[in-house]
Amino acid sequence: MSENRGDAEERGDSVDAKFWSHRQSKAPNPPDKAGREGKAGAGSADANRYRMDYPSIGTCVIINNKNFYKSTGMKIREGTNADAEAVERTFRGLGYKIRREDDRTVGEMEELLRTVSQEDHGGSASFVCVLLSHGGEGTFYGTDGFTELETLTGMFRGDRCKTLVAKPKLFFIQACRGTCLDDGIQTDSSSDKSSDRIPVEADFLYAHSTAPGYYSWRNEGTGSWFMQALCEMLNEHSSKLELMQIMTRVNHKVARDFESFTLDPGSNKKKQMPSTTTTLTKDFYFP
């Protein structure tokens, strides 16, 4: 039973997608694309760790879309404010400067991130962007329609955002990526000097709430499974674990501790598996 079953019974679980299908689709084909002891000092000279000895850890931009134009056919995303508030508390506690924007159109989202990407991040160690909305595979919704997710994240590529070159750019995305449902299955057990040039796609992390092709679940009372698990694991482990270790614990919590509870047999008792894609080139430890 999910640990949020009580809340689910009161408010209900829902998915961040426009079209709901009870077809038990086969899992999509994989896309063609592609322990720490103690805490590292802020000025660690370890070539395998990102530098954190900057004046600021960086900015965290949160785009939280709850209400949508009727023309989009999208439902209100009840529970998303709980996510946004949890994310604000968590990343502010980690030292990030928070910039939250609610209910933004596609044009406003693109303008916001374009503006942020053109700011001077020379004194920042990293950049975080949290995106909360409806979505599809490779797409993300503003209040008036959708855009390609790559359009939003691509503004921070090395050739477009020079002051974040060789610094970690972390994107956490709560949105559906398709229309498949996961039925679950029973288990049998409870400073680099090697080159002056780097790829423009280097040093990104894209943490999606669900695997490609699948729905992403959100409880209308407590928020999305993924964002709540992410905040809990960051709060618990950021002082001692490397980021990918933390994300593995997020995966474990979502996969094991959550299960949908709805009045519709076609969507009841479903599971979810987060998915992280990374081009990070070093270990990331919060300071």
Side-chain angles (χ1 to χ4, degrees):
M1 179 180 294
S2 165
E3 67 175 14
N4 69 338
R5 174 61 62 88
D7 293 311
E9 288 176 342
E10 180 181 352
R11 299 295 299 277
D13 290 315
S14 58
V15 294
D16 282 321
K18 178 177 181 179
F19 300 108
W20 173 261
S21 172
H22 288 166
R23 295 193 312 273
Q24 293 303 293
S25 309
K26 294 182 179 179
N29 292 326
D32 293 334
K33 297 180 180 179
R36 182 187 181 199
E37 294 182 4
K39 188 170 182 177
S44 173
D46 190 337
N48 292 313
R49 293 184 182 180
Y50 284 108
R51 283 181 52 201
M52 301 305 290
D53 57 341
Y54 289 89
S56 168
I57 188 173
T59 298
C60 172
V61 174
I62 304 168
I63 297 179
N64 174 45
N65 292 335
K66 177 180 179 180
N67 304 290
F68 299 83
Y69 290 15
K70 187 175 180 181
S71 59
T72 66
M74 291 296 186
K75 295 181 179 180
I76 295 176
R77 298 182 61 253
E78 298 290 356
T80 190
N81 287 343
D83 283 345
E85 290 161 9
V87 166
E88 277 195 68
R89 287 192 301 270
T90 297
F91 282 96
R92 181 175 287 112
L94 292 171
Y96 285 90
K97 177 182 177 182
I98 303 298
R99 180 167 181 178
R100 173 177 165 180
E101 302 285 342
D102 293 335
D103 289 343
R104 292 295 178 251
T105 64
V106 168
E108 289 170 337
M109 292 192 303
E110 292 178 352
E111 179 60 26
L112 167 64
L113 293 181
R114 184 177 300 108
T115 298
V116 173
S117 71
Q118 293 172 355
E119 293 173 353
D120 184 2
H121 299 273
S124 298
S126 63
F127 171 75
V128 170
C129 181
V130 180
L131 301 173
L132 311 170
S133 190
H134 289 296
E137 182 51 48
T139 61
F140 186 80
Y141 270 81
T143 56
D144 61 342
F146 67 87
T147 185
E148 295 296 317
L149 190 57
E150 186 176 357
T151 299
L152 302 179
T153 63
M155 297 178 188
F156 296 87
R157 286 181 10 170
D159 56 344
R160 298 170 185 168
C161 183
K162 299 294 181 65
T163 57
L164 282 173
V165 168
K167 299 176 182 178
K169 296 161 281 284
L170 315 177
F171 289 84
F172 300 95
I173 305 151
Q174 169 60 39
C176 284
R177 303 179 72 186
T179 58
C180 290
L181 290 168
D182 191 329
D183 292 322
I185 189 170
Q186 189 65 42
T187 65
D188 292 329
S189 64
S190 11
S191 146
D192 192 351
K193 297 181 180 180
S194 59
S195 174
D196 292 329
R197 293 169 53 81
I198 61 173
V200 296
E201 300 286 358
D203 304 299
F204 279 87
L205 177 138
Y206 307 97
H208 290 268
S209 58
T210 192
Y214 283 90
Y215 282 119
S216 183
W217 289 93
R218 167 178 38 81
N219 184 266
E220 296 181 1
T222 59
S224 66
W225 302 355
F226 176 65
M227 283 297 160
Q228 296 302 312
L230 173 66
C231 291
E232 181 179 339
M233 294 299 102
L234 283 172
N235 290 331
E236 184 175 345
H237 299 296
S238 62
S239 64
K240 53 187 179 293
L241 297 182
E242 197 272 331
L243 179 58
M244 291 308 298
Q245 292 177 306
I246 296 173
M247 296 312 301
T248 299
R249 282 159 175 75
V250 172
N251 287 354
H252 182 273
K253 184 169 183 63
V254 174
R256 296 292 186 135
D257 292 355
F258 291 89
E259 182 177 277
S260 68
F261 179 81
T262 74
L263 299 179
D264 186 342
S267 60
N268 194 34
K269 295 185 177 181
K270 302 304 178 184
K271 303 293 286 183
Q272 180 176 316
M273 188 66 248
S275 174
T276 298
T277 302
T278 176
T279 62
L280 295 180
T281 57
K282 298 182 181 182
D283 295 332
F284 181 96
Y285 289 98
F286 292 100

